[in-house]
C-alpha cells in the first residue's frame, strides 16, 4: 500500500482533533496539547506524502470504494501536496502563537475555549479544498473553512468584529452561492463533477457554454481570492479579528481561492483563455491594493491591503499560462503564505508591546525591543522583494515569465509589478521608520504603554517584561487577565521566530523549491498525469 | 427532455426577490435575501437532474433510464445543511449587533472614514519644514503666527517641544486613549 494513499488523513486527523478538543473544552491545557499534537502529526504525514508524490507523481485515493468518476476522489499532486505542507506548517506556527497568547492572558472561561476546535476545523477545511478531486467536494471544503472562519472572525463578539464579521459572512455566502450555481450548471452541461472527468468533457462543450461556466467559476473564486474588483471585503474585515486569526486568514484563505483559480485555468479550461482579462485584473489588483496600503495608518489594515496587492502577482503568473509563469506563481504562493502570516504575527506582538497598531502612536520599538525589530525587518524586506530574499526570487521569476511572453499587455503588467513592488517597499519602510526607528517621543500621539515601559535589556528580558492590567484596553479586551500578564510571551515570540526562519529557509532552499514548482507546473499544464491518476491509464490521451 | 417550467419560474422569482433583499441595508432583510438565493440555487440544482423519474433504488427489472438522477438531490441536501448552519450563525450575529448598537443596519467602518478624511500627505514625508528663526519664542505661538520661510504655508507642523510637554501630561499609569471621534454620516438618522 502506498503511503500517499494516506493523504485523506490530512482532513480526517484535524477533524478528530477538533472533536477531541471540543470534549476537553473545560481543560485548556489538555486542549492545547491535543490541538498542537494533532497538527504536528498532520504536518509530518503531509511531508511524507509530499516526498512520495514528488517521486511518483499524482496519486488519487478513492473514498468509499466507488470508482471515479462516480465516487468521491481525493487527489494529491505536486501542487496540492506542496501547499498542504506549507499551510500545515504555517497553521501549526499560528496555533502555537495563539496558544502562547491564550496561556499568557488566562483563558479559563469565555469564548476563547471554542478557538481550538474551530481552528482545527478550519485546517481540515483548507486541507479538504486542496485535496478535493471533484468540484462539489471543493465546495464542501470551502464551506468547512468558511464556516469555521466566521466563528473565528467574530470571536468575542465585540462591536467592531460583529460589524466586520457580518460583511465577511454575507460576501462569503454570496461567493459560495455563485460557486454552487456554477457547479449546478456544469453538472447540467456535462453530467459530472469529477475534476479529471470534467477536464475531458468540458473541452467537448460549445465554446459559448464554456465561456459562461468559466466566467462563473472565476468570479466565485475571484471573490474568495480577493482579486481586484472583488477584493473590497478583505481590508474591511481582516484587521478587526484577533491577531492569530488575522495571521492565519491572511496566509491561507485567499490562497485557497488562488489554488482554485489555478486549477480552473490549468485543469478545467486549458483551451478557453481569458488571459488578457486576467492580466488586466492582475495589474489592477497589484496597483489598487498597494495604493490602498499607502493611505493606511493602521499596520493591520495596511498589511491587508498589501495582501490584496500581492494576490495580483499570483494571478499574473496564472494568466501567462506558461510553465515558467505557473512555476513562479506556485513559488510565490508558498512564499507569500509564510511571509504574510509572519508579518501579521509580528504586528500582533507589536500591538502587545506598544499597546497600539497605529503608526501614528508608535515609535522607538527598535530600542525598546530589538528582537521585534529583527522579526519585522526580515519578512518586511522579503515581502518588498529585496534581494536575496524569496520574495525577490518569486518576483524575478514572474517578471521573466512576463518578458518571455512578450505581448504588450504582459510588459505592462511587468512594469506594474515593479511599481507595486517599489510601493510595497515604501509602505513597509514607512512602518519601519515610524514604529521602530524614530524615538517614541517623536510619535504624533504616543501610546501610554510605549512611554511607561522600560527597554528590554535582551531578548530573554523582553519576554519576561510585565504589563499591569491597568492598561487593559476595554474595547478590544486584549488583556483579559486580572493579574499582570507577560507582555511578550515566549511561545508567541518563538512561534513568530519559527515562521520567519521558515521564510528565510525558503530563500536558502529556493533552488530545490523552484525545481519542485517547475515540476508541478509542467505536470499541471500537461494534465495527463492528473487525469490518469484519477481515471486510469490512457484516459488522458483522447 | 421535458422542462418543468414551474420550477424554473419559481427559481427566477426567488433569484430576483433574493437579490433585491440582498441589496438592502437592513441585516434581517439581507439574511432573508440570502435564504431565498440559497433556495433558488437548490431549485437550479434540482433542475439539472433532468426530468422526474423513479426513486433511484436499484431493481434489475427497471431500465436505468427510468430512474431519477440522485446526485443533484445529494448536492441539494448538502447545500441545505450548509445554508441552515450559516443562517443560524447570521441570526446570532444580527442579534448580537442589535444588542450592541440597537440597530438592524450594517454599521459604518469608523477607521475607513477616518482614513478617507485624513490629510492627503503624510506629515513626515511631505510637509514643508518650518524654519525656526529663533529658539526662544515661536514654539509657544499658535500655528499661523510662526515664522517660516516667506511664501511657504506650514502644514501641520510637528513641534518637538509641544510633544515633549504633552508627554509629561500623560501619566504613565493612565493611558490617554484618544480614539478619533468621527461621526458616521448615516448613523445619526435613527
Amino acid at each position: 500500500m502506498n503511503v500517499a494513499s494516506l493523504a485523506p488523513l490530512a482532513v480526517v486527523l484535524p477533524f478528530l482533533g477538533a472533536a477531541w478538543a471540543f470534549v476537553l473544552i473545560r481543560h485548556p491545557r489538555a486542549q492545547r496539547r491535543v490541538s498542537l499534537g494533532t497538527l504536528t502529526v498532520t504536518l509530518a504525514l503531509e511531508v511524507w506524502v509530499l516526498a512520495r508524490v514528488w517521486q511518483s507523481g499524482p496519486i488519487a485515493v478513492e473514498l468509499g470504494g466507488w470508482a471515479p468518476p462516480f465516487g468521491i476522489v481525493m487527489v494529491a499532486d505536486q501542487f496540492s501536496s506542496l501547499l498542504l505542507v506549507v499551510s500545515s506548517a504555517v497553521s501549526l506556527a499560528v496555533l502555537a502563537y495563539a496558544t502562547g497568547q491564550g496561556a499568557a492572558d488566562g483563558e479559563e472561561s469565555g469564548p476563547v475555549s471554542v478557538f481550538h476546535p474551530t481552528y482545527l476545523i478550519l485546517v481540515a477545511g483548507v486541507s479538504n479544498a486542496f485535496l478535493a478531486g471533484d468540484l462539489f467536494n471543493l465546495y464542501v471544503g470551502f464551506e468547512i473553512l468558511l464556516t469555521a472562519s466566521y466563528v473565528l472572525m467574530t470571536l468575542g463578539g465585540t462591536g467592531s468584529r460583529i460589524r466586520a464579521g457580518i460583511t465577511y459572512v454575507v460576501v462569503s455566502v454570496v461567493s459560495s452561492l455563485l460557486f454552487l450555481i456554477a457547479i449546478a450548471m456544469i453538472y447540467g452541461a456535462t453530467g459530472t463533477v469529477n475534476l479529471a472527468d470534467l477536464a475531458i468533457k468540458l473541452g467537448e462543450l460549445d465554446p459559448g457554454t464554456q465561456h459562461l461556466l468559466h466566467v462563473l467559476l472565476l468570479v466565485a473564486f475571484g471573490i474568495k481570492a480577493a482579486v481586484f474588483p472583488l477584493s473590497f471585503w478583505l481590508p474591511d474585515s481582516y484587521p478587526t479579528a484577533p491577531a492569530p486569526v488575522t495571521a492565519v486568514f491572511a496566509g491561507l484563505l485567499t490562497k485557497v481561492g488562488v489554488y482554485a483559480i489555478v486549477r480552473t485555468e490549468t485543469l478545467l479550461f486549458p483551451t478557453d483563455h481569458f488571459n488578457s482579462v486576467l492580466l488586466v485584473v492582475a495589474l489592477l489588483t497589484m496597483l489598487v491594493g498597494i495604493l490602498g496600503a499607502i493611505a493606511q495608518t493602521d499596520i493591520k489594515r495596511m498589511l491587508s491591503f498589501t495582501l490584496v496587492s500581492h494576490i495580483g502577482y499570483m494571478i499574473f503568473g496564472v494568466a501567462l499560462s506558461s510553465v515558467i509563469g505557473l512555476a513562479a506563481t506556485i513559488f510565490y504562493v508558498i512564499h507569500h503564505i509564510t511571509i504574510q502570516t509572519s508579518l501579521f504575527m509580528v504586528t500582533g506582538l507589536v500591538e502587545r508591546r506598544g499597546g497600539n497598531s497605529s503608526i501614528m502612536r508608535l515609535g522607538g520599538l527598535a530600542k525598546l525591543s530589538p528582537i521585534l525589530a529583527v522579526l519585522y525587518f526580515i519578512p518586511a524586506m522579503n515581502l518588498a522583494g529585496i534581494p536575496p530574499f524569496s520574495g525577490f526570487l518569486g518576483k524575478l521569476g514572474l517578471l521573466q515569465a512576463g518578458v518571455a511572453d512578450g505581448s504588450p499587455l504582459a510588459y505592462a503588467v511587468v512594469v506594474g509589478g515593479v511599481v507595486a513592488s517599489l510601493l510595497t517597499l515604501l509602505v513597509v519602510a514607512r512602518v519601519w521608520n515610524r514604529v521602530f526607528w524614530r524615538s517614541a517621543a517623536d510619535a504624533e500621539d504616543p501610546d501610554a504603554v510605549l512611554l511607561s515601559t522600560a527597554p528590554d535589556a535582551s531578548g530573554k528580558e523582553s519576554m519576561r517584561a510585565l504589563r499591569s492590567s491597568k492598561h487593559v484596553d476595554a474595547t478590544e479586551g486584549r488583556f483579559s487577565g486580572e493579574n499582570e500578564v507577560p507582555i511578550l510571551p515566549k511561545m508567541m515570540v518563538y512561534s513568530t521566530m519559527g515562521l520567519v526562519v521558515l521564510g528565510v529557509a525558503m530563500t536558502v532552499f529556493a533552488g530545490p523549491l523552484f525545481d519542485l514548482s517547475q515540476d508541478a507546473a509542467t505536470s499541471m499544464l500537461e494534465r495527463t498525469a492528473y487525469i490518469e491518476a484519477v481515471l486510469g491509464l490512457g484516459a488522458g490521451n483522447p | 427532455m421535458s422542462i418543468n417550467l414551474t420550477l424554473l419560474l419559481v427559481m427566477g422569482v426567488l433569484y430576483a426577490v433574493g437579490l433585491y433583499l440582498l441589496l438592502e441595508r437592513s441585516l434581517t432583510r439581507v439574511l432573508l435575501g440570502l435564504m431565498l438565493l440559497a433556495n433558488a440555487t437548490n431549485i437550479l440544482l434540482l433542475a439539472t437532474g433532468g426530468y422526474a423519474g423513479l426513486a433511484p433504488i436499484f431493481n434489475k427489472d427497471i431500465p436505468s433510464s427510468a430512474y431519477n438522477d440522485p446526485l443533484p438531490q445529494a448536492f441539494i441536501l448538502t447545500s441545505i445543511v450548509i445554508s441552515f448552519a450559516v443562517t443560524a450563525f447570521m441570526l446570532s450575529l444580527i442579534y448580537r449587533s442589535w444588542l450592541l448598537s440597537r440597530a438592524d443596519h450594517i454599521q459604518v467602518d469608523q477607521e475607513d472614514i477616518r482614513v478617507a478624511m485624513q490629510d492627503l500627505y503624510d506629515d513626515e514625508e511631505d510637509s514643508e519644514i518650518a524654519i525656526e528663526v529663533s529658539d526662544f519664542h515661536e514654539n509657544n505661538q499658535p500655528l499661523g503666527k510662526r515664522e517660516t520661510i516667506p511664501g511657504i504655508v506650514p502644514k501641520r507642523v510637528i513641534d518637538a517641544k509641544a510633544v515633549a510637554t504633552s508627554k509629561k501630561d500623560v501619566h504613565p499609569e493612565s493611558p490617554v486613549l484618544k480614539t478619533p471621534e468621527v461621526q458616521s454620516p448615516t448613523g445619526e438618522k435613527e
Side-chain angles (χ1 to χ4, degrees):
Chain A
M1 184 171 152
N2 197 330
V3 177
S5 57
L6 294 176
L9 281 180
V11 183
V12 176
L13 281 179
F15 267 129
L16 289 177
W20 200 358
F22 203 74
V23 169
L24 293 172
I25 206 153
R26 303 248 170 264
H27 310 275
R29 296 187 70 172
Q31 201 186 33
R32 273 176 229 148
R33 277 190 207 128
V34 166
S35 39
L36 282 173
T38 310
L39 277 190
T40 316
V41 174
T42 314
L43 177 62
L45 178 88
E46 285 165 0
V47 171
W48 200 3
V49 169
L50 173 66
R52 288 307 291 261
V53 168
W54 198 351
Q55 283 172 358
S56 56
I59 285 167
V61 187
E62 296 162 18
L63 301 181
W66 288 83
F70 305 108
I72 293 174
V73 281
M74 284 195 159
V75 187
D77 71 344
Q78 288 96 330
F79 184 36
S80 55
S81 45
L82 183 62
L83 277 179
L84 272 182
V85 170
V86 177
S87 70
S88 284
V90 165
S91 37
L92 181 61
V94 174
L95 185 67
Y97 180 91
T99 307
Q101 188 177 20
D105 297 348
E107 49 165 8
E108 266 63 45
S109 59
V112 189
S113 52
V114 184
F115 177 82
H116 286 266
T118 319
Y119 187 86
L120 288 176
I121 290 177
L122 180 86
V123 175
V126 172
S127 307
N128 192 22
F130 285 151
L131 285 172
D134 68 80
L135 219 46
F136 199 77
N137 204 9
L138 183 63
Y139 167 76
V140 172
F142 267 120
E143 286 304 319
I144 296 171
L145 73 90
L146 283 177
T147 313
S149 74
Y150 303 153
V151 177
L152 292 174
M153 172 80 70
T154 53
L155 217 60
T158 59
S160 59
R161 280 181 200 164
I162 295 285
R163 183 199 60 72
I166 286 174
T167 325
Y168 176 72
V169 173
V170 171
V171 170
S172 306
V173 170
V174 169
S175 86
S176 295
L177 281 176
L178 279 174
F179 187 17
L180 198 59
I181 293 170
I183 291 177
M185 293 196 169
I186 288 176
Y187 185 76
T190 61
T192 181
V193 286
N194 185 293
L195 285 177
D197 205 17
L198 281 176
I200 299 169
K201 288 187 178 159
L202 280 174
E204 297 162 1
L205 290 178
D206 176 57
T209 319
Q210 280 197 47
H211 269 323
L212 173 75
L213 300 176
H214 194 174
V215 169
L216 264 174
L217 279 184
L218 279 185
V219 171
F221 296 145
I223 297 178
K224 291 178 203 295
V227 176
F228 161 60
L230 310 168
S231 63
F232 56 92
W233 56 272
L234 190 144
D236 179 56
S237 50
Y238 276 17
T240 50
V245 172
T246 317
V248 76
F249 282 14
L252 296 184
L253 298 200
T254 49
K255 306 308 181 300
V256 184
V258 172
Y259 167 84
I261 289 180
V262 171
R263 276 273 182 256
T264 313
E265 288 302 305
T266 57
L267 187 64
L268 298 184
F269 297 98
T271 50
D272 182 48
H273 286 314
F274 276 105
N275 286 357
S276 42
V277 178
L278 280 178
L279 280 176
V280 173
V281 161
L283 180 65
L284 288 175
T285 311
M286 285 175 192
L287 294 180
V288 173
I290 204 66
L291 290 178
I294 289 175
Q296 304 303 317
T297 53
D298 184 283
I299 307 178
K300 287 198 275 183
R301 288 178 71 96
M302 183 215 88
L303 284 177
S304 304
F305 274 100
T306 61
L307 168 62
V308 172
S309 168
H310 285 242
I311 296 290
Y313 287 97
M314 298 163 206
I315 303 299
F316 176 37
V318 178
L320 291 172
S321 69
S322 60
V323 171
I324 176 166
L326 202 57
T329 295
I330 296 170
F331 185 80
Y332 204 82
V333 168
I334 57 173
H335 143 81
H336 197 251
I337 290 177
T338 324
I339 296 307
Q340 193 75 40
T341 309
S342 40
L343 275 174
F344 270 107
M345 284 160 82
V346 177
T347 309
L349 288 176
V350 165
E351 205 178 0
R352 282 183 82 89
R353 186 67 187 82
N356 216 296
S357 66
S358 166
I359 56 172
M360 302 301 227
R361 306 195 57 186
L362 287 169
L365 274 181
K367 197 178 258 177
L368 283 177
S369 183
I371 188 161
L372 273 191
V374 174
L375 286 181
Y376 173 79
F377 189 77
I378 294 174
M381 290 301 117
N382 206 333
L383 184 75
I386 298 296
F389 287 118
S390 54
F392 168 73
L393 300 172
K395 281 181 183 127
L396 189 68
L398 285 170
L399 299 185
Q400 277 178 346
V403 172
D405 187 72
S407 67
L409 199 54
Y411 272 111
V413 186
V414 165
V415 173
V418 174
V419 170
S421 166
L422 285 175
L423 290 177
T424 309
L425 181 62
L426 170 76
V427 168
V428 294
R430 190 175 59 164
V431 171
W432 170 258
N433 281 342
R434 287 174 164 254
V435 175
F436 293 97
W437 210 236
R438 69 175 172 184
S439 74
D442 282 345
E444 282 81 356
D445 180 17
D447 194 279
V449 176
L450 211 57
L451 301 174
S452 62
T453 45
D456 314 328
S458 69
K460 272 196 171 173
E461 204 63 29
S462 77
M463 295 167 206
R464 264 194 238 118
L466 291 177
R467 171 193 294 222
S468 146
S469 62
K470 283 171 192 160
H471 291 297
V472 166
D473 184 347
T475 53
E476 290 297 321
R478 270 174 295 139
F479 304 103
S480 50
E482 289 292 307
N483 305 316
E484 293 191 324
V485 293
I487 197 163
L488 289 179
K490 274 182 194 171
M491 192 112 165
M492 292 174 82
V493 176
Y494 287 153
S495 52
T496 314
M497 224 183 268
L499 211 54
V500 171
V501 169
L502 182 65
V504 174
M506 280 185 186
T507 309
V508 177
F509 298 106
L513 264 182
F514 211 88
D515 287 346
L516 181 56
S517 308
Q518 211 142 8
D519 271 7
T522 316
S523 91
M524 276 203 304
L525 284 176
E526 281 175 358
R527 304 201 304 161
T528 41
Y530 188 100
I531 296 173
E532 286 185 352
V534 178
L535 297 177
L537 288 177
N541 302 313
Chain B
M1 179 176 134
S2 65
I3 292 169
N4 189 338
L5 197 62
T6 330
L7 216 54
L8 291 185
L9 279 177
V10 169
M11 181 187 85
V13 171
L14 283 183
Y15 269 126
V17 177
L19 199 63
Y20 178 79
L21 285 174
L22 189 69
L23 299 175
E24 295 272 333
R25 195 160 186 182
S26 157
L27 291 174
T28 341
R29 290 182 182 214
V30 169
L31 178 64
L32 288 173
L34 286 178
M35 289 159 75
L36 291 183
L37 286 178
N39 281 322
T41 312
N42 289 343
I43 296 180
L44 174 66
L45 276 167
L46 191 64
T48 61
Y51 55 90
L54 297 174
I57 302 167
F58 181 68
N59 183 337
K60 63 178 169 18
D61 298 333
I62 301 173
S64 62
S65 57
Y67 294 120
N68 199 352
D69 185 355
L71 203 55
Q73 298 178 19
F75 293 164
I76 294 171
L77 211 56
T78 317
S79 144
I80 288 174
V81 173
I82 290 170
S83 66
F84 173 69
V86 173
T87 306
F89 190 75
M90 272 287 283
L91 270 176
S92 68
L93 279 186
I94 292 171
Y95 178 65
R96 179 76 185 156
S97 173
W98 172 257
L99 281 186
L100 289 171
S101 58
R102 289 278 145 196
D104 182 33
H105 283 172
I106 294 177
Q107 300 299 303
V108 174
D109 186 2
Q110 303 291 343
E111 172 73 9
D112 200 36
I113 291 178
R114 199 191 61 68
V115 169
M117 285 169 63
Q118 77 188 355
D119 288 346
L120 198 54
Y121 296 110
D122 193 327
D123 296 326
E124 202 170 72
E125 284 148 17
D126 301 300
S127 67
E128 292 85 13
I129 299 161
I131 305 295
E132 299 186 359
V133 177
S134 157
D135 283 331
F136 297 106
H137 59 87
E138 76 279 12
N139 280 343
N140 296 326
Q141 290 179 359
L143 197 69
K145 290 187 181 174
R146 278 185 214 154
E147 295 177 52
T148 52
I149 297 176
I152 294 179
V153 184
K155 275 172 50 64
R156 279 175 54 202
V157 180
I158 298 174
D159 194 333
K161 273 193 185 173
V163 171
T165 48
S166 75
K167 191 180 73 183
K168 276 173 207 154
D169 298 338
V170 180
H171 192 269
E173 291 300 311
S174 61
V176 185
L177 292 172
K178 284 186 202 159
T179 44
E181 293 282 322
V182 183
Q183 290 296 324
S184 67
T186 52
E188 303 303 309
K189 277 190 220 160
E190 293 303 308

